[in-house]
PDB file of all heavy atoms in Angstrom:
ATOM      1  N   TRP A1514      33.133  14.560  -9.966  1.00 97.00           N
ATOM      2  CA  TRP A1514      31.937  15.207  -9.437  1.00 97.00           C
ATOM      3  C   TRP A1514      31.586  16.507 -10.148  1.00 97.00           C
ATOM      4  O   TRP A1514      30.942  17.393  -9.586  1.00 97.00           O
ATOM      5  CB  TRP A1514      32.041  15.399  -7.920  1.00 97.00           C
ATOM      6  CG  TRP A1514      32.061  14.070  -7.220  1.00 97.00           C
ATOM      7  CD1 TRP A1514      33.161  13.346  -6.882  1.00 97.00           C
ATOM      8  CD2 TRP A1514      30.927  13.274  -6.839  1.00 97.00           C
ATOM      9  NE1 TRP A1514      32.791  12.147  -6.307  1.00 97.00           N
ATOM     10  CE2 TRP A1514      31.432  12.079  -6.258  1.00 97.00           C
ATOM     11  CE3 TRP A1514      29.545  13.461  -6.904  1.00 97.00           C
ATOM     12  CZ2 TRP A1514      30.602  11.069  -5.763  1.00 97.00           C
ATOM     13  CZ3 TRP A1514      28.722  12.454  -6.406  1.00 97.00           C
ATOM     14  CH2 TRP A1514      29.236  11.284  -5.853  1.00 97.00           C
ATOM     15  N   GLU A1515      32.016  16.603 -11.408  1.00 97.00           N
ATOM     16  CA  GLU A1515      31.594  17.703 -12.279  1.00 97.00           C
ATOM     17  C   GLU A1515      30.573  17.138 -13.257  1.00 97.00           C
ATOM     18  O   GLU A1515      30.913  16.290 -14.086  1.00 97.00           O
ATOM     19  CB  GLU A1515      32.784  18.280 -13.039  1.00 97.00           C
ATOM     20  CG  GLU A1515      33.696  19.133 -12.190  1.00 97.00           C
ATOM     21  CD  GLU A1515      32.995  20.401 -11.698  1.00 97.00           C
ATOM     22  OE1 GLU A1515      32.151  20.953 -12.446  1.00 97.00           O
ATOM     23  OE2 GLU A1515      33.281  20.825 -10.569  1.00 97.00           O
ATOM     24  N   PRO A1516      29.318  17.570 -13.213  1.00 98.00           N
ATOM     25  CA  PRO A1516      28.281  16.951 -14.042  1.00 98.00           C
ATOM     26  C   PRO A1516      28.588  17.078 -15.534  1.00 98.00           C
ATOM     27  O   PRO A1516      29.122  18.104 -15.982  1.00 98.00           O
ATOM     28  CB  PRO A1516      27.017  17.746 -13.688  1.00 98.00           C
ATOM     29  CG  PRO A1516      27.296  18.347 -12.354  1.00 98.00           C
ATOM     30  CD  PRO A1516      28.774  18.632 -12.345  1.00 98.00           C
ATOM     31  N   PRO A1517      28.268  16.035 -16.309  1.00 98.00           N
ATOM     32  CA  PRO A1517      28.376  16.165 -17.762  1.00 98.00           C
ATOM     33  C   PRO A1517      27.265  17.068 -18.275  1.00 98.00           C
ATOM     34  O   PRO A1517      26.401  17.517 -17.506  1.00 98.00           O
ATOM     35  CB  PRO A1517      28.187  14.720 -18.241  1.00 98.00           C
ATOM     36  CG  PRO A1517      27.291  14.111 -17.208  1.00 98.00           C
ATOM     37  CD  PRO A1517      27.698  14.745 -15.903  1.00 98.00           C
ATOM     38  N   ASP A1518      27.268  17.324 -19.558  1.00 98.00           N
ATOM     39  CA  ASP A1518      26.194  18.132 -20.146  1.00 98.00           C
ATOM     40  C   ASP A1518      24.995  17.276 -20.550  1.00 98.00           C
ATOM     41  O   ASP A1518      23.865  17.753 -20.529  1.00 98.00           O
ATOM     42  CB  ASP A1518      26.731  18.882 -21.373  1.00 98.00           C
ATOM     43  CG  ASP A1518      27.823  19.870 -20.996  1.00 98.00           C
ATOM     44  OD1 ASP A1518      27.501  20.890 -20.369  1.00 98.00           O
ATOM     45  OD2 ASP A1518      29.006  19.595 -21.290  1.00 98.00           O
ATOM     46  N   TRP A1519      25.266  16.015 -20.916  1.00 98.00           N
ATOM     47  CA  TRP A1519      24.193  15.126 -21.387  1.00 98.00           C
ATOM     48  C   TRP A1519      24.385  13.721 -20.831  1.00 98.00           C
ATOM     49  O   TRP A1519      25.514  13.229 -20.753  1.00 98.00           O
ATOM     50  CB  TRP A1519      24.186  15.037 -22.915  1.00 98.00           C
ATOM     51  CG  TRP A1519      23.603  16.221 -23.603  1.00 98.00           C
ATOM     52  CD1 TRP A1519      24.261  17.362 -23.985  1.00 98.00           C
ATOM     53  CD2 TRP A1519      22.239  16.397 -23.998  1.00 98.00           C
ATOM     54  NE1 TRP A1519      23.389  18.233 -24.602  1.00 98.00           N
ATOM     55  CE2 TRP A1519      22.146  17.669 -24.622  1.00 98.00           C
ATOM     56  CE3 TRP A1519      21.094  15.606 -23.899  1.00 98.00           C
ATOM     57  CZ2 TRP A1519      20.940  18.159 -25.142  1.00 98.00           C
ATOM     58  CZ3 TRP A1519      19.887  16.088 -24.408  1.00 98.00           C
ATOM     59  CH2 TRP A1519      19.817  17.355 -25.014  1.00 98.00           C
ATOM     60  N   ILE A1520      23.261  13.088 -20.498  1.00 98.00           N
ATOM     61  CA  ILE A1520      23.186  11.650 -20.241  1.00 98.00           C
ATOM     62  C   ILE A1520      22.268  11.076 -21.315  1.00 98.00           C
ATOM     63  O   ILE A1520      21.133  11.538 -21.486  1.00 98.00           O
ATOM     64  CB  ILE A1520      22.596  11.342 -18.851  1.00 98.00           C
ATOM     65  CG1 ILE A1520      23.448  11.956 -17.737  1.00 98.00           C
ATOM     66  CG2 ILE A1520      22.420   9.833 -18.676  1.00 98.00           C
ATOM     67  CD1 ILE A1520      24.794  11.314 -17.555  1.00 98.00           C
ATOM     68  N   VAL A1521      22.752  10.072 -22.045  1.00 98.00           N
ATOM     69  CA  VAL A1521      21.967   9.451 -23.109  1.00 98.00           C
ATOM     70  C   VAL A1521      21.772   7.981 -22.764  1.00 98.00           C
ATOM     71  O   VAL A1521      22.747   7.262 -22.507  1.00 98.00           O
ATOM     72  CB  VAL A1521      22.657   9.580 -24.483  1.00 98.00           C
ATOM     73  CG1 VAL A1521      21.735   9.085 -25.596  1.00 98.00           C
ATOM     74  CG2 VAL A1521      23.064  11.035 -24.743  1.00 98.00           C
ATOM     75  N   VAL A1522      20.517   7.529 -22.753  1.00 98.00           N
ATOM     76  CA  VAL A1522      20.206   6.196 -22.255  1.00 98.00           C
ATOM     77  C   VAL A1522      19.164   5.528 -23.147  1.00 98.00           C
ATOM     78  O   VAL A1522      18.237   6.180 -23.630  1.00 98.00           O
ATOM     79  CB  VAL A1522      19.702   6.284 -20.795  1.00 98.00           C
ATOM     80  CG1 VAL A1522      18.444   7.128 -20.690  1.00 98.00           C
ATOM     81  CG2 VAL A1522      19.468   4.910 -20.195  1.00 98.00           C
ATOM     82  N   PRO A1523      19.290   4.214 -23.399  1.00 98.00           N
ATOM     83  CA  PRO A1523      18.225   3.510 -24.117  1.00 98.00           C
ATOM     84  C   PRO A1523      16.945   3.516 -23.286  1.00 98.00           C
ATOM     85  O   PRO A1523      16.994   3.443 -22.049  1.00 98.00           O
ATOM     86  CB  PRO A1523      18.766   2.080 -24.261  1.00 98.00           C
ATOM     87  CG  PRO A1523      20.221   2.160 -23.959  1.00 98.00           C
ATOM     88  CD  PRO A1523      20.408   3.326 -23.044  1.00 98.00           C
ATOM     89  N   GLY A1524      15.806   3.588 -23.968  1.00 97.00           N
ATOM     90  CA  GLY A1524      14.531   3.608 -23.267  1.00 97.00           C
ATOM     91  C   GLY A1524      13.726   2.350 -23.531  1.00 97.00           C
ATOM     92  O   GLY A1524      13.317   2.100 -24.661  1.00 97.00           O
ATOM     93  N   GLY A1525      13.500   1.536 -22.490  1.00 94.00           N
ATOM     94  CA  GLY A1525      12.652   0.356 -22.584  1.00 94.00           C
ATOM     95  C   GLY A1525      11.484   0.505 -21.639  1.00 94.00           C
ATOM     96  O   GLY A1525      10.481   1.124 -21.961  1.00 94.00           O
ATOM     97  N   ASN A1526      11.632  -0.032 -20.418  1.00 94.00           N
ATOM     98  CA  ASN A1526      10.590   0.141 -19.407  1.00 94.00           C
ATOM     99  C   ASN A1526      10.749   1.458 -18.652  1.00 94.00           C
ATOM    100  O   ASN A1526       9.978   1.761 -17.754  1.00 94.00           O
ATOM    101  CB  ASN A1526      10.616  -1.032 -18.424  1.00 94.00           C
ATOM    102  CG  ASN A1526       9.233  -1.574 -18.121  1.00 94.00           C
ATOM    103  OD1 ASN A1526       8.243  -1.139 -18.700  1.00 94.00           O
ATOM    104  ND2 ASN A1526       9.143  -2.516 -17.208  1.00 94.00           N
ATOM    105  N   LEU A1527      11.785   2.224 -18.999  1.00 97.00           N
ATOM    106  CA  LEU A1527      12.010   3.598 -18.551  1.00 97.00           C
ATOM    107  C   LEU A1527      12.382   3.718 -17.073  1.00 97.00           C
ATOM    108  O   LEU A1527      12.256   4.787 -16.478  1.00 97.00           O
ATOM    109  CB  LEU A1527      10.795   4.483 -18.872  1.00 97.00           C
ATOM    110  CG  LEU A1527      10.372   4.500 -20.352  1.00 97.00           C
ATOM    111  CD1 LEU A1527       9.118   5.358 -20.543  1.00 97.00           C
ATOM    112  CD2 LEU A1527      11.507   4.993 -21.242  1.00 97.00           C
ATOM    113  N   GLY A1528      12.897   2.632 -16.499  1.00 96.00           N
ATOM    114  CA  GLY A1528      13.349   2.703 -15.116  1.00 96.00           C
ATOM    115  C   GLY A1528      14.648   3.463 -14.957  1.00 96.00           C
ATOM    116  O   GLY A1528      14.827   4.215 -13.995  1.00 96.00           O
ATOM    117  N   ASN A1529      15.594   3.269 -15.893  1.00 97.00           N
ATOM    118  CA  ASN A1529      16.886   3.944 -15.769  1.00 97.00           C
ATOM    119  C   ASN A1529      16.757   5.453 -15.807  1.00 97.00           C
ATOM    120  O   ASN A1529      17.302   6.161 -14.956  1.00 97.00           O
ATOM    121  CB  ASN A1529      17.837   3.464 -16.871  1.00 97.00           C
ATOM    122  CG  ASN A1529      18.818   2.414 -16.388  1.00 97.00           C
ATOM    123  OD1 ASN A1529      19.005   2.232 -15.201  1.00 97.00           O
ATOM    124  ND2 ASN A1529      19.441   1.718 -17.322  1.00 97.00           N
ATOM    125  N   CYS A1530      16.066   5.979 -16.810  1.00 98.00           N
ATOM    126  CA  CYS A1530      15.961   7.441 -16.894  1.00 98.00           C
ATOM    127  C   CYS A1530      15.228   7.998 -15.671  1.00 98.00           C
ATOM    128  O   CYS A1530      15.565   9.086 -15.178  1.00 98.00           O
ATOM    129  CB  CYS A1530      15.297   7.869 -18.201  1.00 98.00           C
ATOM    130  SG  CYS A1530      13.607   7.293 -18.454  1.00 98.00           S
ATOM    131  N   SER A1531      14.257   7.240 -15.147  1.00 98.00           N
ATOM    132  CA  SER A1531      13.554   7.668 -13.937  1.00 98.00           C
ATOM    133  C   SER A1531      14.523   7.735 -12.759  1.00 98.00           C
ATOM    134  O   SER A1531      14.508   8.688 -11.969  1.00 98.00           O
ATOM    135  CB  SER A1531      12.419   6.693 -13.620  1.00 98.00           C
ATOM    136  OG  SER A1531      11.516   6.573 -14.701  1.00 98.00           O
ATOM    137  N   ALA A1532      15.376   6.712 -12.653  1.00 98.00           N
ATOM    138  CA  ALA A1532      16.344   6.670 -11.552  1.00 98.00           C
ATOM    139  C   ALA A1532      17.387   7.761 -11.687  1.00 98.00           C
ATOM    140  O   ALA A1532      17.793   8.383 -10.693  1.00 98.00           O
ATOM    141  CB  ALA A1532      17.018   5.294 -11.523  1.00 98.00           C
TER     142      ALA A1532
END
Side-chain angles (χ1 to χ4, degrees):
W1514 294 92
E1515 285 295 326
D1518 296 289
W1519 283 88
I1520 300 291
V1521 187
V1522 60
N1526 225 5
L1527 304 177
N1529 260 344
C1530 62
S1531 303

